[in-house]
Amino acid sequence: MWDYSEKVQEYFFNPKNAGVLAEANAVGEVGAISCGDALKLMMKVDPVTNVILEAKFQTFGCGSAIASSSALTELVIGKTIEEALKLTNQDIADFLGGLPPEKMHCSVMGYEALQAAVANFRGETWTDDHEEGALICKCFGVDEGMVERAVRMNNLTTIEQVTAYTKAGGGCLTCFDALEGVLAKVNAEMVAEGVLDPAKAYKLGSVDPLALKKKPTPKAAAPAPVVSLGEIAPVRTSHPAPAGVSPLDPATPTPALTNLQKIRLIEQAIEELRPNLRADNGDCELVDVDGSTVYVRLSGACVGCQMASVTVSGIQQRLAAKIGSPIRVVPVGKN
Amino acid sequence: MRPVYLDNNATTRVDPQVVEAMLPFFTEQFGNPSSIHSFGSSVGGAVKAARKQVQALLGAEFDHEIIFTSGGTESNNMAILSALEAMPGRDVIITTKVEHPAVLSVCEYLEKTGRAKVHYIGVDSFGRLDLEAYRAALSDRVALVTLMWANNETGTIFPVEPLAELAKEVGALFHTDAVQAVGKVPITLKGSAIDMLSLSGHKLHAPKGIGALYVKRGVRFKPQMRGGHQERGRRAGTENAPGIVALGKAAELAMAAMADEQTRVKALRDRLEAGIMQRVPNCFVNGDKYDRLPNTCNVAFEFVEGEAILLHLTRAGIAASSGSACTSGSLEPSHVLRAMNIPFTAAHGSIRFSFSRESIDEDVDRVIEVLPGILEKLRTLSPFWAGANEAPKEFKPVYA
């Protein structure tokens, strides 16, 4: 059985705020039966002060799912909507004295339920995108359908790209085999359809998972959104850089661009990325360009997301590919 | 309070008589059975006696048809890999969607590496094999048919003997993973069409780390473990003498307890099942009620998640297991229940209670006493269960 903390056990066996809140005006329902967990968060928010007066939950799920749900209600009660939105799934896990890595998705579910409930309160729509196919990445609850879509929509051909776009594989990486299988499968289909150059298609076994594992785990990277150049340009000696997407390869000629050209290219790249960010209820805008440093502002669901740094490195990778020279992406705050 | 252990399909307690039988082989009788001196020869004799005990439990014709291994997983690997090598010109394997991973993963690996083409035969909602698909898959390209005797999760029994006959007609080898069946149902291999059979010690009150593969005399076998003449050159490595002696003793005890398993243990299981059905709404039995191991009870509880049930049971001193994803860390519900097309709401809430000859009436009473309360508590928490003050959602189990 899992090594649950005492706090998790306490909140599982005697959950606080369980049940239905009839007068709720902010309701978020997330999760899927196929994933084995689902959460309905009900909050009563003061329409004038935006203070969350009451919160209750109903959860279908394992011990940590129930405990995370209960912890979430405890965390949000008394906070304003704005304060509550600053909570991350890590806060839920911390509140519970930690969760086993395989169970971190339970805290993500709590985080998502809160986003959904707030969206509901504000009259916005919130879409859950984890409902297709087998679950591949357990750390972030990414299923096969999501990986397939991302690979197709963005012509992804490397595991790093898949991780940057979907988060899958960004944690423990035990899903490497499965992830690699989906990438190779979709690439093969794309080649057959004539939309992908066979030379660029991902080949099974062409990447050593150990080389990928050296990346920082999202947990450790969470509070540090500034990504250093070292992270995006891993020294690859064990295997050749994947064909086509090696912007940082010293052999790639670096065309001299004017600042204006550069900005246009960057804006174009961000535009291309936007649908993916929007799919996760996030967004990104260009703030400034200073030499090889690009300042962007993440908004929406990207704010406070523990995966923000992965998103940033994805953007960075994308921009670097577009411009053809290494660049550094720095997220800036509201001001 | 006596802990209630109802997870015997996962592993069993080593019988004290088995422990007693094996202990001398750690101390006084430590010799290598291959040695010529007296230290070795007495151990050699004990290994031979154990082989006969296992032979008797399986109803095998010859004792040398038994190869001792490290357990069920090794036996399954060995049987499949050997069969593929031993049947040149044939590269098809037939198996089922509900096999244990020790068979399924090997087949998938062979398929992935291009060494075999694999047919995975499906099952119906009761877990019964799709016989039509099985017949259709048989051809002279088939090297091996590997089907489990009894399912570890639901206890559903496949009619392996007639299925083996069908495999013989196309000249294929037939292997059965009988890890869950051995010791629980009578088996007579002599005169059957079964070529190979895997068994595991720790499922029948022997220790972990010992098992056997039965290979019928005359069946072509390619060793997968090289490096010595042991087990007639079919499985190299110094014999695990204490384990082998333990397995022999366990086989003897299992034979003696077979009647108990078929009557008293089955009655316990049936009483538990009836008690649950009576007291807990919205649940149903997974598996083939009529052709099932006498010790296994797998119940699907709608609208709740298995791990949550198990945590509560654990606190009440009851050990069971779940087909739910969350307990295994795999996050996907059991492949067996999915192959049976059990709805997700119920598959995630499936609990397996598995008895042994050590189970007693009190175990059943305890489960029946605490389980309804646990289900009620968790269901009021579940968003899929209508509010506590309303009537439960309309629900018609398809598989009841």
Side-chain angles (χ1 to χ4, degrees):
Chain A
M1 197 60 89
W2 302 104
D3 190 11
Y4 284 139
S5 71
E6 274 181 28
K7 199 103 181 254
V8 171
Q9 296 190 33
E10 183 191 323
Y11 273 78
F12 167 68
F13 285 117
N14 301 300
K16 298 194 171 93
N17 311 316
V20 178
L21 184 59
E23 60 272 40
N25 55 356
V27 179
E29 286 182 74
V30 293
I33 275 285
S34 62
C35 298
D37 42 30
L39 160 60
K40 183 176 182 182
L41 174 68
M42 292 152 277
M43 305 192 298
K44 186 178 164 190
V45 183
D46 186 322
V48 179
T49 60
N50 274 1
V51 170
I52 299 165
L53 303 169
E54 269 185 87
K56 286 201 165 199
F57 75 93
Q58 282 188 305
T59 294
F60 166 86
C62 57
S64 55
I66 290 170
S68 295
S69 309
S70 183
L72 170 68
T73 57
E74 288 282 280
L75 281 167
V76 298
I77 293 173
K79 286 197 169 70
T80 64
I81 288 284
E82 291 70 28
E83 287 165 349
L85 279 177
K86 290 195 185 113
L87 289 172
T88 66
N89 72 305
Q90 193 62 48
D91 293 329
I92 297 173
D94 290 346
F95 180 87
L96 290 169
L99 286 171
E102 295 87 345
K103 297 289 191 176
M104 279 304 284
H105 65 272
C106 292
S107 64
V108 175
M109 181 170 77
Y111 168 82
E112 289 182 338
L114 179 61
Q115 305 295 317
V118 171
N120 171 258
F121 173 71
R122 292 174 172 170
E124 300 159 359
T125 50
W126 192 86
T127 48
D128 171 18
D129 48 16
H130 311 318
E131 279 190 323
E132 291 163 72
L135 198 60
I136 292 202
C137 169
K138 278 107 198 181
C139 296
F140 299 109
V142 181
D143 61 36
E144 197 170 336
M146 191 168 164
V147 175
E148 282 185 13
R149 263 198 315 275
V151 171
R152 262 185 185 281
M153 277 167 54
N154 304 290
N155 290 320
L156 307 185
T157 53
T158 70
I159 299 284
E160 290 96 327
Q161 289 175 324
V162 173
T163 303
Y165 280 75
T166 66
K167 309 172 192 174
C172 65
L173 211 57
T174 48
C175 61
F176 179 80
D177 261 12
L179 209 52
E180 185 186 56
V182 176
L183 178 60
K185 187 191 84 181
V186 178
N187 274 185
E189 286 168 13
M190 289 161 72
V191 169
E193 291 158 22
V195 293
L196 183 70
D197 177 0
K200 289 183 181 171
Y202 182 80
K203 280 164 203 71
L204 277 180
S206 63
V207 171
D208 177 7
L210 282 177
L212 291 172
K213 264 201 171 156
K214 290 182 186 130
K215 284 188 161 190
T217 65
K219 194 170 171 180
V226 177
V227 181
S228 73
L229 268 178
E231 274 174 50
I232 55 152
V235 184
R236 298 205 194 112
T237 45
S238 56
H239 57 87
V245 270
S246 48
L248 308 172
D249 191 325
T252 310
T254 309
L257 296 171
T258 67
N259 246 352
L260 189 64
Q261 282 172 318
K262 211 185 262 176
I263 290 169
R264 280 202 183 124
L265 280 170
I266 291 168
E267 290 208 301
Q268 201 183 331
I270 290 177
E271 206 52 52
E272 285 167 24
L273 268 173
R274 193 156 278 142
N276 305 305
L277 296 172
R278 290 233 167 114
D280 275 343
N281 283 304
D283 208 342
C284 169
E285 69 175 297
L286 180 63
V287 177
D288 199 3
V289 179
D290 178 12
S292 65
T293 307
V294 176
Y295 296 92
V296 298
R297 182 176 295 131
L298 295 175
S299 51
C302 291
V303 176
C305 173
Q306 67 154 353
M307 293 305 299
S309 66
V310 176
T311 307
V312 167
S313 74
I315 295 170
Q316 183 161 268
Q317 213 175 335
R318 184 70 174 234
L319 298 188
K322 202 93 191 170
I323 293 171
S325 65
I327 58 162
R328 179 172 186 222
V329 173
V330 178
V332 295
K334 283 225 149 113
N335 309 309
Chain B
M1 215 184 332
R2 179 187 193 262
V4 176
Y5 184 75
L6 293 179
D7 200 11
N8 287 283
N9 283 10
T11 196
T12 55
R13 187 174 79 112
V14 181
D15 191 297
Q17 294 182 64
V18 169
V19 177
E20 196 187 334
M22 76 188 290
L23 281 181
F25 294 87
F26 287 108
T27 51
E28 304 96 70
Q29 307 209 50
F30 63 87
N32 187 326
S34 303
S35 303
I36 198 91
H37 48 64
S38 61
F39 290 92
S41 58
S42 69
V43 179
V47 167
K48 195 169 165 49
R51 206 181 297 280
K52 287 201 175 298
Q53 286 166 314
V54 175
Q55 176 202 352
L57 179 64
L58 299 180
E61 192 169 5
F62 306 100
D63 66 347
H64 62 250
E65 292 174 326
I66 311 299
I67 303 172
F68 290 114
T69 68
S70 65
T73 299
E74 184 189 334
S75 299
N76 286 334
N77 271 267
M78 209 154 124
I80 297 168
L81 297 174
S82 158
L84 206 55
E85 238 182 89
M87 304 288 278
R90 290 173 178 245
D91 61 352
V92 173
I93 295 176
I94 298 179
T95 187
T96 78
K97 288 183 179 164
V98 297
E99 294 300 308
H100 188 275
V103 167
L104 223 40
S105 303
V106 181
C107 291
E108 282 163 4
Y109 175 71
L110 290 170
E111 197 179 24
K112 203 173 161 186
T113 50
R115 288 158 68 189
K117 193 177 173 306
V118 184
H119 290 288
Y120 301 92
I121 308 297
V123 295
D124 69 6
S125 57
F126 296 99
R128 296 176 302 194
L129 197 70
D130 181 346
L131 287 177
E132 230 163 87
Y134 175 60
R135 279 174 196 276
L138 286 169
S139 76
D140 60 4
R141 304 279 309 154
V142 178
L144 174 76
V145 174
T146 172
L147 306 173
M148 68 202 325
W149 195 305
N151 189 275
N152 49 312
E153 292 186 27
T154 64
T156 300
I157 292 174
F158 284 153
V160 281
E161 282 149 319
L163 293 171
E165 304 273 352
L166 290 172
K168 277 292 86 114
E169 285 174 16
V170 297
L173 288 176
F174 188 94
H175 164 254
T176 180
D177 170 6
V179 161
Q180 292 295 344
V182 172
K184 293 173 193 154
V185 293
I187 290 175
T188 308
L189 292 173
K190 184 184 172 185
S192 82
I194 295 165
D195 295 311
M196 293 183 278
L197 174 146
S198 301
L199 71 93
S200 167
H202 75 101
K203 308 285 191 196
L204 53 138
H205 305 279
K208 292 145 193 77
I210 186 71
L213 177 68
Y214 159 90
V215 180
K216 191 182 276 298
R217 182 154 90 159
V219 165
R220 274 176 293 176
F221 184 83
K222 299 282 182 188
Q224 302 299 314
M225 194 79 92
R226 294 163 214 282
H229 58 87
Q230 294 87 352
E231 304 297 297
R232 298 186 175 217
R234 293 169 300 180
R235 200 269 191 183
T238 301
E239 296 87 342
N240 170 7
I244 290 170
V245 169
L247 182 59
K249 185 68 186 174
E252 183 194 306
L253 294 174
M255 269 185 93
M258 190 72 76
D260 180 57
E261 189 85 33
Q262 296 288 328
T263 55
R264 191 188 63 87
V265 173
K266 182 173 185 296
L268 287 178
R269 192 271 314 267
D270 290 345
R271 190 161 75 80
L272 174 71
E273 217 161 76
I276 294 173
M277 294 300 131
Q278 207 181 353
R279 279 159 227 240
V280 181
N282 295 58
C283 62
F284 54 90
V285 173
N286 287 320
D288 182 357
K289 273 192 222 178
Y290 304 101
D291 210 354
R292 194 162 46 131
L293 290 177
N295 81 317
T296 308
C297 164
N298 188 317
V299 181
F301 298 97
E302 274 268 340
F303 313 121
V304 280
E305 202 280 330
E307 187 201 292
I309 303 174
L310 288 185
L311 288 171
H312 276 288
L313 283 174
T314 304
R315 200 165 66 152
I318 298 167
S321 76
S322 160
S324 125
C326 285
T327 38
S328 60
S330 81
L331 294 205
E332 287 166 42
S334 127
H335 68 286
V336 176
L337 299 180
R338 274 184 295 151
M340 288 162 65
N341 237 337
I342 302 295
F344 273 120
T345 35
H348 280 293
S350 289
I351 301 288
R352 179 188 70 188
F353 300 97
S354 45
F355 293 78
S356 80
R357 60 176 187 252
E358 294 183 343
S359 308
I360 56 171
D361 267 313
E362 192 201 320
D363 298 340
V364 175
D365 297 336
R366 290 263 300 280
V367 177
I368 293 179
E369 188 191 320
V370 303
L371 196 60
I374 293 173
L375 265 300
E376 204 185 318
K377 182 173 170 140
L378 290 172
R379 279 176 174 167
T380 54
L381 277 182
S382 168
F384 299 114
W385 182 263
N389 302 323
E390 299 163 44
K393 271 186 201 169
E394 177 73 9
F395 175 68
K396 287 184 188 128
V398 190
Y399 307 98

